[in-house]
Amino acid sequence: MFKRFVLLLLLLPLATMAAEKPNCAVKVMLPDNYFPSVKLETSMGDIVVELNTMKAPNAANNFLRYVMEGEMDGTVFHRVMKNFVVQGGGYDEEFVEQTLHGPICNESGNGLKNVAGSIAMARFEDPHSARRQFFFNVEDNDSLDPSSTRWGYAVFGTVLSGMEVLEEISKVKTGYNEYLDAEDVPKKNVVLIKATVLAAE
């Protein structure tokens, strides 16, 4: 399963790019809130995630930057694999790749695990190539965690509410998409309509 996921991530995340030095000190977006919550309004319901900027400062602040710039609005979940992951953040409804900031350093050794309901960064085979695409773990996926011989996929938050929505998304019909030249693409777009940072309580 792990090898299959790596291959699939290589096919879709980013169309073309030159190698860039990853950013290991992403700007802190909300200096007064170490665990900000973000509401993801999707075409199938709302999901609220809590980000962990303490253990995953690069990934969490990178995600926040795209959210606060409005760059996640109108994107789709372009890869859905039942009992595995739901991935999105990179393309609009016409599968046009969206604005990219530079890659970030991999934080998969931060102690956060790829368990059901966690949110993590998608990337190329290069461990430090994550940019804007993210995925939700629908089940526990310890094969995506780091080991002594490989980098993992950096988890940077967890679902606070809307897990039932995520589970419904994971069950949508998928198939081959000619435009992306990829499998596991929803037959009907599942849209991330709007992403909003919630006020701290």
Side-chain angles (χ1 to χ4, degrees):
M1 181 68 79
F2 178 73
K3 290 182 178 178
R4 182 187 179 204
F5 191 51
V6 171
L7 175 60
L8 288 167
L9 287 178
L10 283 170
L11 287 174
L12 292 182
L14 310 168
T16 57
M17 73 165 97
E20 294 183 43
K21 183 177 180 181
N23 184 354
C24 295
V26 176
K27 178 184 176 182
V28 177
M29 301 302 296
L30 297 171
D32 297 324
N33 189 352
Y34 293 117
F35 299 95
S37 295
V38 177
K39 181 180 180 181
L40 306 178
E41 300 174 45
T42 83
S43 55
M44 294 183 66
D46 296 346
I47 302 169
V48 176
V49 296
E50 180 183 74
L51 309 184
N52 191 331
T53 67
M54 296 289 286
K55 289 191 173 182
N58 289 316
N61 282 295
N62 177 70
F63 181 78
L64 278 172
R65 174 172 56 178
Y66 284 108
V67 168
M68 294 170 73
E69 291 174 349
E71 285 291 333
M72 287 297 174
D73 300 353
T75 58
V76 296
F77 292 98
H78 65 276
R79 177 181 294 116
V80 173
M81 301 174 74
K82 188 177 181 180
N83 301 323
F84 192 30
V85 299
V86 170
Q87 182 175 334
Y91 301 95
D92 67 13
E93 293 190 65
E94 302 298 323
F95 299 108
V96 175
E97 189 175 44
Q98 299 300 283
T99 301
L100 298 171
H101 292 301
I104 61 173
C105 289
N106 191 314
E107 297 171 309
S108 61
N110 61 15
L112 301 177
K113 303 297 185 181
N114 283 276
V115 295
S118 60
I119 183 173
M121 294 302 301
R123 59 172 175 80
F124 279 117
E125 187 173 19
D126 177 352
H128 307 293
S129 58
R131 295 197 181 213
R132 63 175 291 155
Q133 287 197 31
F134 62 90
F135 64 89
F136 286 105
N137 287 287
V138 181
E139 294 195 350
D140 293 349
N141 293 315
D142 57 2
S143 62
L144 303 182
D145 292 331
S147 73
S148 59
T149 58
R150 67 166 188 264
W151 288 88
Y153 292 81
V155 172
F156 61 95
T158 188
V159 172
L160 289 182
S161 65
M163 191 64 194
E164 71 283 358
V165 174
L166 183 60
E167 290 172 350
E168 286 304 306
I169 294 174
S170 76
K171 298 173 185 176
V172 301
K173 292 183 179 180
T174 63
Y176 176 76
N177 181 285
E178 185 175 1
Y179 187 85
L180 292 175
D181 188 24
E183 300 286 349
D184 305 308
V185 180
K187 291 292 188 180
K188 180 181 178 182
N189 282 347
V190 180
V191 185
L192 200 178
I193 300 168
K194 188 174 182 60
T196 307
V197 178
L198 299 179
E201 295 182 357

